[in-house]
Amino acid sequence: MSGFDENIVREYFELNGFFVRQLRKYQVQSRKKRFDEEIDMLIYNPKADKKMKPLGFQLFSNDIVNIHQAIVVVKAWHSSRFTPAILRSGTKVFDFLKKDVLNKVNDYFDFNEIDLGKNDAVFKKILIIPSLPSGEPHRSESITLLKEQGIDGIISFATILESLINNIEINHSYQKSDLLQLIRILKIYDMIKEPQMTFFD
């Protein structure tokens, strides 16, 4: 299902004005991932303020407009609880932060048709996760562990889904996206209620 989760994330960034480059269309299972398979996608926002504004660690939809470019990794553990123990275990959460992976990222951002400029070489490292722990001390501990490893920010799937639902208009057709069209149809038939976001009430 990771491909589906990545598509949700891709739709989210595209709906918010980003160019998205998904680096692969397959899932690696039977062998160790190569360095170019650790990153799920690259995002580039041509309208972002070039002077990077300080961002919080947990990012929301009104924060991401200030991101110029980033590498994104999606960890869709919808059925698992996200805890500091998971981060300390051998889940390979941080493999995309290895030096040989990051060294290759600038090549990926070398767009011929877009003048990025020398000062724009900074890219954020964003992790998409189900959510942070809600209780302390697990929440603070998780944030500390993620920051220590070099993660610049996280976006929760709840934030992504809420943004998609809020931005889909029932009087527009989204024929090029099965996901957005499904959300539109669910809204038309009152299966998704706003603003409470109640499903199947």
Side-chain angles (χ1 to χ4, degrees):
M1 289 296 286
S2 66
F4 181 73
D5 295 306
E6 287 169 23
N7 285 338
I8 292 173
V9 175
R10 180 185 188 119
E11 295 282 9
Y12 168 72
F13 282 114
E14 287 180 347
L15 209 59
N16 281 283
F18 284 81
F19 293 117
V20 180
R21 180 176 175 196
Q22 217 161 340
L23 295 182
R24 65 183 191 282
K25 292 286 186 183
Y26 56 87
Q27 187 173 355
V28 179
Q29 292 179 327
S30 59
R31 60 172 170 76
K32 187 178 178 185
K33 284 184 180 179
R34 299 188 312 263
F35 67 85
D36 59 328
E37 295 169 326
E38 297 293 349
I39 298 168
D40 292 316
M41 61 190 72
L42 309 173
I43 58 171
Y44 171 74
N45 181 2
K47 294 182 180 177
D49 187 346
K50 300 288 171 59
K51 298 168 186 169
M52 288 278 243
K53 294 175 182 167
L55 296 171
F57 187 71
Q58 183 165 5
L59 303 172
F60 298 94
S61 295
N62 38 352
D63 298 319
I64 66 167
V65 294
N66 296 318
I67 296 171
H68 185 51
Q69 55 191 20
I71 58 176
V72 177
V73 170
V74 179
K75 297 298 179 187
W77 305 326
H78 301 299
S79 57
S80 302
R81 288 189 64 194
F82 188 85
T83 64
I86 287 177
L87 294 175
R88 290 194 186 95
S89 68
T91 54
K92 300 187 177 180
V93 176
F94 304 116
D95 279 0
F96 77 103
L97 298 170
K98 290 180 179 174
K99 194 173 181 180
D100 54 349
V101 178
L102 295 179
N103 285 344
K104 192 69 180 168
V105 170
N106 283 323
D107 295 341
Y108 290 138
F109 278 116
D110 186 17
F111 302 114
N112 292 328
E113 69 276 16
I114 299 171
D115 180 20
L116 292 179
K118 288 185 179 177
N119 295 328
D120 294 330
V122 176
F123 53 85
K124 296 286 186 187
K125 296 171 284 296
I126 297 173
L127 194 61
I128 311 295
I129 60 173
S131 65
L132 286 169
S134 54
E136 294 293 352
H138 297 305
R139 182 182 177 83
S140 298
E141 203 177 327
S142 297
I143 290 172
T144 300
L145 285 167
L146 289 164
K147 284 181 174 178
E148 284 174 354
Q149 292 295 325
I151 304 288
D152 294 310
I154 63 108
I155 304 174
S156 74
F157 269 96
T159 294
I160 289 171
L161 293 171
E162 184 178 344
S163 177
L164 288 173
I165 291 168
N166 281 336
N167 286 295
I168 297 303
E169 298 178 32
I170 60 173
N171 58 349
H172 282 83
S173 180
Y174 300 91
Q175 292 294 340
K176 292 187 177 180
S177 167
D178 291 342
L179 172 66
L180 302 186
Q181 190 71 347
L182 174 61
I183 293 171
R184 174 184 175 243
I185 291 169
L186 289 172
K187 288 178 88 167
I188 288 171
Y189 288 99
D190 291 327
M191 297 294 192
I192 300 176
K193 306 281 188 186
E194 291 183 290
Q196 301 93 344
M197 302 301 172
T198 304
F199 284 77
F200 307 103
D201 232 12

